[in-house]
Amino acid sequence: MNKTFFLPLVIVVLIIEGCTRPTHTPPSPAPQLPSQPLSLVEEKESAYYLYMQSEIYRQKRMWDKATFFLLKAIAIDPDSIYLNQELVMLYLQTKSPSKAIEVAERMVKTHPENVVALSLLAKMNLQLKQDAEAKALYQKIIHLQPDNENAYIVLGSLCMEQDNMEEAFSLYTRMAKQFPKSYVAPFFLGRIHAMQNNIEYAEKAFKKTIELNSELVEPRFELISIYKSDPRNETRLSPEIIKLYKEILVIDPHNIRASLERSLYYYHHGKKDLAQKQLAEFGQKHRRDPGPFMLAAKEFVGNKRYKDAVIIFTGLLAGAPENPILHYLAGVSYDAVQDIDKAIYHFKQIRPGTEHYRKSIIHIAYLYTQKEQPEKAIEFLLQKHRELPNDPEIISYLASIYEDLNQYAKSIEMLDKGLVLYPENAEMLFRAGIVHDKWGNKDQSIRIMQKVIALEPDNATALNYLGYTYADLGIELELAESLIKKAMALNPDDGYITDSLGWVYYRKADYPKAIEYLERALTLSSHDPVVAEHLGDAYQKASNPEKALEIYKKALKKATTNKADIIEKIKILEQTLHE
């Protein structure tokens, strides 16, 4: 049963009120035109004239002048709710939320019982995630204006978002009595009952919602969810569920969710031929329109319903066998259920020149590596590289596979080709720096990392890499500390950057400071044996061999490679402590 779906609160407000910015039919009286004609001088002093000047500049997107004239209008008529409301909207348009809320707060202070002012401030609070303040304002609005249906809706949704179901239930119950013809209250009461597993009451509430508004599809989906959760319907086709899907598709013949879920329902209840026929018809109908397929991807792949996604996309392909988007989505789905051969098959059906062709190339190469067939991945990528010699992703991925195979010369050869084409590609440069480091070319690695930082001064990974390299070599320790501190300011909770800073202090022989940062690094990256080993080294230098031995043993348990050094350190310490 769907127990977690809520419309975002701001969206609820927009649905009820129409838009974020009011139309020029003001909710409260606009500045009034004088009954007698004004002289030119008098007209220039009129709040209405200044407001119209502001509107002219706003239409031209000349924000400074629009604001200037609107502020002049407000100076003449400071208590105008309408003018102040327009100023709030103007500040929002110009991305000045702090100024907007300042005006809204001033409006409420000047007009503490004006519902328009209170509503505007409440919406501002919601947009700024100040839920407690918004809640208090909507409560006040309901007290001042008990027939304000929108306030009930937003306040109830806010309570539900905060998981305060008791308060939400009380509010929607009051709303149902206050607005007996409104479908909103029974709908949300149904949601609350469903979440609390009060199935009988939820069913009644959703049926009441449909009775009040027969054109709604959402309560029908809720009822479908309820009926699907009934154990009696696990093995049999439920007439109620079939009827509800039909009703939704009569109301909205283009409802993608209903079309696809209905087919899945038939499929899972033994009507596979009917399901596949429906899916093929859907695929044929939309074969030239990617929109429905992308919505299906959002629902089934986005929500990790991969087994259902396989059924859906292979079914749709029966009606649109050449559609590259469907082949791509089928490939992604088969990959997710670990059917690698079928995933590769679908990615290979995507033809050159189509939107997902290049992505499919990388996917296929990745899947070959997952099958532990790196040679096949290389052969495939080299073929595609001949076809697309300037594609940076193919070049980079080829280089990374060579790197994983410790074929550093070939990796650098590919990266150098790429850097001739894209000399300022920071990602490719960074990869080249790492490969040169692994290959033993430390000087070249340092020069490349310096170039990466020159191109991207806030590249935290490159800053950390260069700083750690200096620290590991025991050179340029002041510069290393500066680089790593900058990286840490950009990513303060990164365990590897914290480890690098601890290692700088270790190299500076400041062991208490090294221990402080390395302890924190191990907390942030508890799985990493190198971080643990660094901490053990620091404790040993700080004349705490017992603690060092404890940490080395933890490092050894985590290590999968290069265990010999840790084992040797443990042996030396155990011998020292024994003596």
Side-chain angles (χ1 to χ4, degrees), residues 44-333:
K44 285 185 178 179
E45 292 174 352
S46 159
Y48 182 82
Y49 171 80
L50 294 166
Y51 162 73
M52 291 307 298
Q53 287 293 105
S54 172
E55 278 301 287
I56 290 167
Y57 286 116
R58 177 149 45 180
Q59 295 300 322
K60 294 178 180 179
R61 304 179 72 81
M62 298 171 69
W63 306 118
D64 289 344
K65 287 190 175 182
T67 305
F68 171 77
F69 280 103
L70 190 51
L71 286 169
K72 285 192 73 173
I74 291 169
I76 295 171
D77 190 1
D79 292 333
S80 168
I81 292 288
Y82 181 67
L83 290 177
N84 279 283
Q85 180 174 294
E86 290 294 294
L87 183 61
V88 168
M89 299 307 169
L90 186 53
Y91 280 140
L92 289 177
Q93 274 186 292
T94 55
K95 295 181 173 55
S96 304
S98 58
K99 289 182 178 180
I101 203 161
E102 184 183 325
V103 175
E105 286 172 345
R106 188 173 66 241
M107 289 169 67
V108 169
K109 190 174 181 180
T110 308
H111 308 280
E113 296 194 350
N114 185 286
V115 171
V116 173
L118 291 166
S119 297
L120 192 60
L121 181 57
K123 282 187 279 186
M124 288 293 303
N125 287 141
L126 286 177
Q127 290 180 15
L128 296 173
K129 310 293 184 188
Q130 296 171 351
D131 292 348
E133 292 86 346
K135 188 174 177 181
L137 287 163
Y138 279 113
Q139 286 169 338
K140 186 173 181 180
I141 291 166
I142 289 172
H143 174 72
L144 291 169
Q145 197 177 75
D147 62 345
N148 191 315
E149 185 179 1
N150 177 63
Y152 278 97
I153 294 168
V154 180
L155 184 55
S157 297
L158 188 51
C159 291
M160 289 177 79
E161 278 195 348
Q162 295 171 342
D163 206 28
N164 190 343
M165 295 303 160
E166 189 175 335
E167 189 176 350
F169 186 84
S170 173
L171 194 74
Y172 284 127
T173 302
R174 284 168 52 199
M175 184 182 171
K177 291 177 182 175
Q178 182 79 9
F179 308 97
K181 294 183 178 181
S182 170
Y183 63 85
V184 176
F187 177 74
F188 281 109
L189 286 170
R191 280 265 175 89
I192 295 168
H193 281 306
M195 292 177 70
Q196 296 173 342
N197 214 28
N198 299 325
I199 301 304
E200 183 182 346
Y201 289 104
E203 183 181 6
K204 285 180 181 177
F206 290 130
K207 284 183 175 179
K208 178 69 174 175
T209 307
I210 293 169
E211 182 187 318
L212 290 166
N213 188 335
S214 61
E215 296 299 306
L216 293 173
V217 300
E218 195 59 42
R220 288 177 166 87
F221 278 119
E222 296 285 352
L223 284 170
I224 288 169
S225 182
I226 287 173
Y227 296 145
K228 281 183 178 179
S229 69
D230 187 337
R232 294 171 299 176
N233 291 329
E234 286 181 5
T235 56
R236 70 179 183 96
L237 279 171
S238 163
E240 294 97 334
I241 292 174
I242 299 298
K243 178 173 175 287
L244 286 163
Y245 277 131
K246 284 181 179 178
E247 287 176 3
I248 292 169
L249 291 168
V250 167
I251 294 165
D252 179 9
H254 304 292
N255 193 296
I256 294 164
R257 179 184 171 190
S259 295
L260 299 180
E261 281 193 5
R262 180 184 63 170
S263 297
L264 270 179
Y265 183 68
Y266 280 128
Y267 188 95
H268 289 309
H269 286 79
K271 299 281 187 179
K272 291 186 179 181
D273 290 344
L274 176 58
Q276 288 169 341
K277 179 175 179 289
Q278 289 175 344
L279 289 170
E281 287 172 354
F282 188 95
Q284 167 69 16
K285 180 180 178 183
H286 298 284
R287 65 190 185 281
R288 302 189 189 284
D289 178 11
F293 303 147
M294 298 313 294
L295 286 172
K298 186 177 180 181
E299 175 62 27
F300 295 103
V301 178
N303 291 321
K304 299 183 179 180
R305 296 173 60 184
Y306 300 124
K307 289 182 179 178
D308 285 342
V310 166
I311 296 166
I312 290 294
F313 295 122
T314 53
L316 295 175
L317 273 165
E322 303 297 322
N323 189 287
I325 293 173
L326 288 177
H327 278 296
Y328 182 79
L329 294 170
V332 169
S333 304

Side-chain angles (χ1 to χ4, degrees), residues 369 397 399-408 411 431 438:
T369 63
Y397 201 43
S400 73
I401 297 174
Y402 283 131
E403 179 189 342
D404 289 341
L405 295 171
N406 299 328
Q407 296 180 17
Y408 301 129
S411 182
R431 196 80 251 149
K438 288 182 178 180

Side-chain angles (χ1 to χ4, degrees), residues 434-449:
I434 291 174
V435 177
H436 273 296
D437 190 1
K438 288 182 178 180
W439 204 10
N441 302 330
K442 288 283 184 185
D443 290 344
Q444 181 70 351
S445 175
I446 287 169
R447 283 194 291 273
I448 291 172
M449 288 300 170

Side-chain angles (χ1 to χ4, degrees), residues 464-480:
N464 178 58
Y465 199 98
L466 182 57
Y468 180 80
T469 301
Y470 285 141
D472 209 39
L473 293 171
I475 62 172
E476 301 283 2
L477 294 180
E478 294 302 323
L479 176 56

Side-chain angles (χ1 to χ4, degrees), residues 438-566:
K438 288 182 178 180
W439 204 10
N441 302 330
K442 288 283 184 185
D443 290 344
Q444 181 70 351
S445 175
I446 287 169
R447 283 194 291 273
I448 291 172
M449 288 300 170
Q450 288 170 338
K451 186 171 181 180
V452 173
I453 293 166
L455 288 168
E456 295 183 352
D458 290 336
N459 187 321
T461 310
L463 290 163
N464 178 58
Y465 199 98
L466 182 57
Y468 180 80
T469 301
Y470 285 141
D472 209 39
L473 293 171
I475 62 172
E476 301 283 2
L477 294 180
E478 294 302 323
L479 176 56
E481 183 178 350
S482 171
L483 290 166
I484 294 166
K485 280 184 173 178
K486 184 174 180 182
M488 186 175 280
L490 293 163
N491 291 335
D493 296 322
D494 188 298
Y496 298 108
I497 295 173
T498 309
D499 170 72
S500 297
L501 190 56
W503 199 236
V504 168
Y505 291 125
Y506 176 88
R507 290 299 195 189
K508 285 183 166 187
D510 188 344
Y511 301 121
K513 220 167 186 180
I515 288 169
E516 176 191 343
Y517 281 99
L518 291 169
E519 284 277 15
R520 183 164 183 265
L522 191 57
T523 301
L524 292 168
S525 300
S526 58
H527 61 284
D528 194 284
V530 175
V531 176
E533 187 179 357
H534 283 169
L535 180 58
D537 292 346
Y539 273 120
Q540 186 178 5
K541 288 289 188 181
S543 302
N544 191 341
E546 293 88 355
K547 190 69 176 174
L549 182 60
E550 177 193 333
I551 298 295
Y552 283 143
K553 285 181 177 179
K554 287 182 179 177
L556 185 59
K557 285 181 181 177
K558 300 172 195 293
T560 55
T561 57
N562 302 322
K563 294 184 178 184
D565 287 347
I566 303 173

